[in-house]
Amino acid sequence: MRAIQWYAGPDNKRGDKTVTLETIYYIGQTIAAAGILGSLVAIWLQQKLATKIARADMTERTLGKFYNAMELMAQDPDLSLHYIRLIRGEVPSDEAITARLVWFFSMMMQAHSSSYFLWRDKLSDERTIDPHNKTLLVHLKVPLFNREWERTRKRGTFPADYMAYVEKLRLEANREAKANAVAS
């Protein structure tokens, strides 16, 4: 095997070290492996950032669904007045208004289910599910909406895991309410 002489020193005299082609090959392989590992780390960081951006985008779109449903109330003062009365316990006497409020609740349920599935699949974070959970629990305390939920549940409109999640939320909220009532 040929050896490449290593020349060292300012007077260009031959040193006592020699480098073989095999050593150069191993050095080249080591540099190439380090480059591949560096590239993999860069790809991993880029993928992590892309996932974070995608989750943020999905979070924004999911919250947008939630706020689009709420926007209905802001655009229709008459409906929002009936909604407030309903939350306070006054059921509207007009069937058309009742139907619109049930429709609104159905939209909120659709937004909540979207938020749940994205959160469950780790495509969004708690910032999307928490406001939906709180709003859903407020709605489920209203007898009209609670009856609609029961009807929806019996029909099996939503997947079983989603309905189980909502029922779990209801149980936890009821336990909290009882604990708060006892503490008062």
Side-chain angles (χ1 to χ4, degrees):
M1 180 172 277
R2 288 185 61 194
I4 299 174
Q5 294 295 321
W6 181 296
Y7 292 98
D11 54 359
N12 223 8
K13 292 185 180 176
R14 189 186 314 196
D16 56 355
K17 297 182 182 179
T18 58
V19 179
T20 64
L21 288 176
E22 184 178 9
T23 304
I24 293 173
Y25 172 77
Y26 289 139
I27 291 170
Q29 288 293 329
T30 303
I31 292 170
I36 290 170
L37 289 175
S39 296
L40 289 174
V41 167
I43 289 170
W44 176 74
L45 290 173
Q46 184 180 17
Q47 187 64 35
K48 190 174 174 182
L49 180 61
T51 301
K52 190 174 184 177
I53 291 169
R55 283 185 65 171
D57 181 54
M58 192 61 68
T59 298
E60 181 181 351
R61 283 192 275 153
T62 304
L63 287 174
K65 277 185 173 181
F66 175 66
Y67 294 121
N68 285 343
M70 294 301 286
E71 188 177 25
L72 289 171
M73 292 299 165
Q75 291 175 348
D76 189 342
D78 188 46
L79 186 62
S80 60
L81 180 62
H82 288 289
Y83 172 75
I84 292 296
R85 288 180 181 156
L86 180 66
I87 296 294
R88 292 179 184 156
E90 300 172 34
V91 179
S93 56
D94 186 352
E95 283 188 39
I97 295 295
T98 302
R100 289 181 69 198
L101 289 168
V102 167
W103 174 73
F104 166 75
F105 176 69
S106 295
M107 287 180 59
M108 293 301 290
M109 289 299 301
Q110 290 294 331
H112 184 265
S113 68
S114 293
S115 179
Y116 165 74
F117 288 115
L118 290 169
W119 170 75
R120 183 197 67 185
D121 297 340
K122 302 202 183 331
L123 297 173
S124 66
D125 54 33
E126 286 73 24
R127 291 176 292 178
T128 59
I129 196 70
D130 286 343
H132 284 183
N133 286 346
K134 290 173 184 169
T135 302
L136 180 68
L137 289 173
V138 167
H139 286 130
L140 289 175
K141 290 177 185 174
V142 175
L144 176 68
F145 294 152
N146 193 43
R147 281 192 305 275
E148 180 61 22
W149 166 250
E150 289 299 330
R151 192 173 69 81
T152 301
R153 194 169 61 87
K154 286 176 186 169
R155 273 189 319 208
T157 304
F158 295 101
D161 61 331
Y162 172 70
M163 291 189 293
Y165 178 76
V166 172
E167 287 302 310
K168 180 181 158 202
L169 283 176
R170 288 175 69 185
L171 288 173
E172 288 173 4
N174 288 340
R175 268 190 244 125
E176 272 184 38
K178 286 178 185 177
N180 290 339
V182 170
S184 301

